[in-house]
Amino acid sequence: MDLLIVGTVAYDAIESPYGKTDKILGGAATYIGLAAAKLGVTSSIVSVVGEDFEKNHLDLLTSNKIAINGIEIIKGGETFFWKGKYHNDMNFRDTLETRLNVLENFSPKIPKENTSPSIVMLGNLSPSVQLEALQQLTPKPKLTVLDTMNFWIENTLNDLLNTIKNVDVLIINDEELRLLTNETKINKGAKKIQEMGPKTVIIKRGEYGSVLFNENETFILPAMLLDKVVDPTGAGDSFAGGFVGYLTKSKDLSFNNLKTALVYATIAASFCVQEFGTEGLTNTSLADFENRLNEFKKLTQY
Amino acid sequence: MDLLIVGTVAYDAIESPYGKTDKILGGAATYIGLAAAKLGVTSSIVSVVGEDFEKNHLDLLTSNKIAINGIEIIKGGETFFWKGKYHNDMNFRDTLETRLNVLENFSPKIPKENTSPSIVMLGNLSPSVQLEALQQLTPKPKLTVLDTMNFWIENTLNDLLNTIKNVDVLIINDEELRLLTNETKINKGAKKIQEMGPKTVIIKRGEYGSVLFNENETFILPAMLLDKVVDPTGAGDSFAGGFVGYLTKSKDLSFNNLKTALVYATIAASFCVQEFGTEGLTNTSLADFENRLNEFKKLTQY
């Protein structure tokens, strides 16, 4: 199987109780691709950046086996930029600045050689853009996975529902689930999502873990316990990247294998948050990853 | 092994989004004993009630193999009464009324035949009363387990620290941990507790589950997913009761067995919250309990 990722490639500036950064590499597609790369999975990103996007960042992607021929570079344009601040309770953050820049008119163009991936991961983006990308894929991928956020639920609900109809897996957090379904109990909320289209629903619960719902099966998984969280940016994207990365690698969409993919997702997210930006992922070796997988199994299995 | 429970036997009046009750049976020791009884474990309660305490409630305890010879009945006294209201977010509750009544001057008297239990569970009570009970036990029990709450951390910290020094297992929730240790990361908080005395620390995380810390080992367990929670009163006590009940029954204090005890604790709490008061536990058959244990294993193991 091969993996196509549609999503942002961006610059971020981040403040947290552990320090602050200048402009650093970010973006949903970046984290997804880097997390998948941890599992040795080759992927292609479809995105847009400005002329300011640095060559060494493109090189970082390609050195992680991420094809960049689907990343459009807009001449004279500037890359999407987000600046945010985390407080002691890392569950909350303030957005200090958002410059959409080249993202404002983003119309995804899937390179011809990438229009028939086995798995497509639609990272957090406008749902109409996500759908536009999906419609260029033929034949239908074996698995379509969608991430979204509160902004789209609150501002473009109809577009979102229209896109959700066409995907196999929705990944959202518990607050977004409540916003989208009006249910506080996640098993009830997940059922409502399933009626909207996706057979599989994954609810992220931040530091508490995640829950995977299939038609008749459920799997509850805690998160890794960490001594410190330096920067939660990209945690959800790394989670998604670990999930689709494992499925791409293992070529098996059974429920049992989805469960294992959720474990990989959890471990990818746990590395992401331990350093600023993408460094948590890029500084992780395959051996680190395997060691934590084993440790996590001991921590959670009886 | 045999189990001694020190704690309140009380009356509660509860309001929740699912309805309201008149005075019903409650109290930490009651829930602990009933949860242990689900596992077929015989126990003794040391507590105090007033003359108003109904015979049918004493009968309910004895029919659940709970010895009541340690429950002092104060002539002319009234039983401890608590009235509370839960809102849609069941994590928060308002106390509408608290009448300490006979609890105000409670001085626990352990019946002679119960002074050498294998396991003692000190339910939520004033820490000086908990210590007073503990000092009557000889020889030292194989395992001493303590529950407490924010009120004692905020108002009688020195007494609490003095009692904590003498116990093997502390069970508290994540907010209480933060209050007691000033740590937001539970693994750091648990280490601080271990320096205070207890080798084993269990952190309850409400609907998200619990984490068990031993000297060098950790176990993270999610909670059962439920379609509805009718009344959370007694959930923590039922959790404690399931934990000590399983250890009493299995006579094994290894870390592996503590892990299994945490699973039993989780299942006991899950039944407790599904009905008002003690009915969630009393309406549960052993078969229900075993079925949910199996279901929970499928939900959480990979």
Side-chain angles (χ1 to χ4, degrees):
Chain A
M1 291 202 188
D2 53 311
L3 174 63
L4 180 71
I5 302 162
V6 182
T8 53
V9 172
Y11 284 128
D12 293 336
I14 294 153
E15 256 178 76
S16 97
Y18 288 94
K20 58 191 287 185
T21 73
D22 289 327
K23 259 192 187 181
I24 57 171
L25 179 63
T30 307
Y31 284 103
I32 295 165
L34 291 176
K38 282 299 123 196
L39 315 182
V41 170
T42 303
S43 64
S44 309
I45 287 183
V46 169
S47 191
V48 64
V49 295
E51 210 177 334
D52 61 330
F53 197 74
E54 292 175 30
K55 184 177 175 302
N56 64 317
H57 289 142
L58 288 173
D59 291 347
L60 176 79
L61 296 178
T62 50
S63 73
N64 279 282
K65 301 200 242 174
I66 300 169
I68 58 168
N69 55 324
I71 303 182
E72 193 181 355
I73 301 172
I74 304 287
K75 279 208 171 147
E78 278 201 71
T79 303
F80 173 51
F81 174 72
W82 176 80
K83 186 173 180 176
K85 181 175 177 169
Y86 296 91
H87 302 277
N88 276 321
D89 180 347
M90 295 264 190
N91 294 313
F92 298 97
R93 69 184 186 186
D94 294 330
T95 288
L96 303 177
E97 201 178 335
T98 305
R99 283 189 253 144
L100 284 179
N101 295 335
V102 295
L103 198 65
E104 198 154 6
N105 299 306
F106 177 42
S107 173
K109 291 166 203 70
I110 318 279
K112 221 168 191 151
E113 62 273 31
N114 298 336
T115 54
S116 42
S118 297
I119 296 187
V120 60
M121 176 71 224
L122 301 167
N124 173 40
L125 267 179
S126 150
S128 59
V129 172
Q130 291 173 319
L131 189 60
E132 200 184 328
L134 199 52
Q135 284 167 339
Q136 295 172 52
L137 305 181
T138 171
K140 207 175 177 304
K142 285 203 179 62
L143 197 76
T144 303
V145 183
L146 182 92
D147 189 14
T148 190
M149 71 182 289
N150 51 359
F151 182 83
W152 311 114
I153 300 172
E154 284 164 343
N155 295 293
T156 62
L157 182 61
N158 283 339
D159 284 354
L160 179 61
L161 293 176
N162 200 29
T163 303
I164 283 183
K165 249 194 284 184
N166 292 286
V167 309
D168 303 305
V169 183
L170 178 66
I171 305 182
I172 54 177
N173 71 35
D174 40 11
E175 273 181 58
E176 291 156 357
L177 180 75
R178 209 169 302 142
L179 210 55
L180 188 54
T181 65
N182 255 317
E183 291 288 350
T184 53
K185 289 286 155 206
I186 62 173
N187 27 8
K188 286 189 183 174
K191 264 181 208 131
K192 282 199 181 173
I193 301 282
Q194 287 170 328
E195 286 161 15
M196 297 175 187
K199 198 182 73 171
T200 305
V201 181
I202 296 173
I203 312 299
K204 295 175 290 183
R205 309 164 112 184
E207 64 179 305
Y208 300 112
S210 55
V211 186
L212 164 69
F213 294 93
N214 234 8
E215 277 160 312
N216 301 307
E217 289 157 307
T218 303
F219 178 52
I220 319 171
L221 191 69
M224 185 73 191
L225 286 182
L226 298 170
D227 278 337
K228 67 178 184 178
V229 170
V230 170
D231 171 18
T233 310
D237 305 313
S238 303
F239 180 92
F243 184 74
V244 293
Y246 183 76
L247 293 178
T248 304
K249 187 180 178 179
S250 57
K251 305 181 206 299
D252 172 358
L253 301 177
S254 68
F255 187 69
N256 254 339
N257 208 55
L258 293 180
K259 286 166 66 173
T260 309
L262 204 73
V263 175
Y264 277 78
T266 300
I267 301 305
S270 79
F271 280 112
C272 172
V273 302
Q274 288 190 300
E275 296 182 53
F276 278 105
T278 54
E279 295 201 341
L281 286 176
T282 52
N283 293 342
T284 300
S285 69
L286 189 59
D288 295 338
F289 205 98
E290 294 288 341
N291 285 341
R292 188 168 288 178
L293 276 170
N294 291 332
E295 191 191 348
F296 185 70
K297 187 159 194 173
K298 271 192 217 152
L299 283 169
T300 60
Q301 302 297 289
Y302 59 93
Chain B
M1 292 201 186
D2 53 310
L3 174 63
L4 180 72
I5 302 162
V6 182
T8 54
V9 171
Y11 283 129
D12 293 335
I14 294 152
E15 253 178 79
S16 96
Y18 289 94
K20 58 192 288 186
T21 73
D22 289 328
K23 260 192 188 183
I24 57 173
L25 179 62
T30 307
Y31 284 103
I32 294 165
L34 290 176
K38 283 297 123 194
L39 315 182
V41 171
T42 304
S43 64
S44 307
I45 287 182
V46 170
S47 192
V48 65
V49 295
E51 211 177 335
D52 61 331
F53 197 74
E54 293 176 29
K55 186 178 174 302
N56 64 317
H57 289 142
L58 288 173
D59 291 346
L60 176 78
L61 296 178
T62 49
S63 73
N64 279 282
K65 301 198 243 174
I66 301 169
I68 58 168
N69 56 324
I71 302 181
E72 193 182 356
I73 301 172
I74 304 287
K75 278 209 172 147
E78 277 200 73
T79 302
F80 172 49
F81 174 71
W82 177 79
K83 184 174 181 176
K85 180 175 177 168
Y86 296 92
H87 302 277
N88 276 322
D89 181 348
M90 295 263 190
N91 295 314
F92 299 97
R93 68 184 190 188
D94 295 330
T95 288
L96 304 178
E97 202 178 335
T98 305
R99 283 189 253 143
L100 283 179
N101 295 335
V102 295
L103 198 64
E104 199 154 6
N105 298 306
F106 177 41
S107 173
K109 293 165 203 72
I110 317 278
K112 223 174 188 143
E113 62 272 31
N114 297 337
T115 55
S116 42
S118 298
I119 297 187
V120 60
M121 174 72 226
L122 301 168
N124 174 39
L125 268 179
S126 150
S128 60
V129 172
Q130 290 173 320
L131 189 59
E132 199 184 330
L134 199 51
Q135 285 167 339
Q136 295 172 53
L137 305 181
T138 171
K140 207 175 175 305
K142 285 204 179 61
L143 196 75
T144 303
V145 183
L146 181 91
D147 189 14
T148 189
M149 72 183 288
N150 51 359
F151 182 85
W152 310 114
I153 301 172
E154 283 163 344
N155 296 293
T156 63
L157 183 61
N158 283 339
D159 284 355
L160 179 61
L161 293 176
N162 200 29
T163 303
I164 283 183
K165 250 194 283 186
N166 293 284
V167 309
D168 303 304
V169 183
L170 177 67
I171 304 182
I172 55 176
N173 71 34
D174 38 12
E175 272 180 59
E176 290 156 358
L177 180 75
R178 210 169 303 145
L179 209 56
L180 188 53
T181 66
N182 255 319
E183 291 288 349
T184 52
K185 290 285 153 205
I186 63 173
N187 26 8
K188 286 189 183 173
K191 265 183 207 128
K192 282 198 178 172
I193 301 283
Q194 286 170 329
E195 286 161 15
M196 297 175 187
K199 198 183 73 171
T200 304
V201 181
I202 296 173
I203 312 299
K204 295 176 288 182
R205 310 165 109 184
E207 63 178 308
Y208 300 113
S210 56
V211 185
L212 165 69
F213 294 92
N214 233 11
E215 275 159 314
N216 300 308
E217 288 158 310
T218 303
F219 177 51
I220 318 170
L221 192 67
M224 185 73 190
L225 285 183
L226 297 170
D227 278 337
K228 66 178 188 180
V229 170
V230 169
D231 171 19
T233 311
D237 305 312
S238 304
F239 180 94
F243 184 76
V244 293
Y246 183 77
L247 293 177
T248 304
K249 187 180 176 179
S250 58
K251 306 183 207 295
D252 172 359
L253 301 178
S254 68
F255 187 67
N256 254 339
N257 207 54
L258 294 181
K259 286 166 67 172
T260 308
L262 204 72
V263 175
Y264 277 78
T266 299
I267 301 303
S270 78
F271 280 112
C272 171
V273 302
Q274 290 191 298
E275 297 183 53
F276 278 105
T278 54
E279 296 203 340
L281 286 176
T282 52
N283 292 342
T284 299
S285 69
L286 190 58
D288 295 338
F289 205 98
E290 294 289 342
N291 285 340
R292 188 169 287 180
L293 277 170
N294 291 331
E295 191 191 345
F296 185 69
K297 187 159 195 176
K298 272 192 216 152
L299 282 170
T300 60
Q301 301 298 289
Y302 60 92

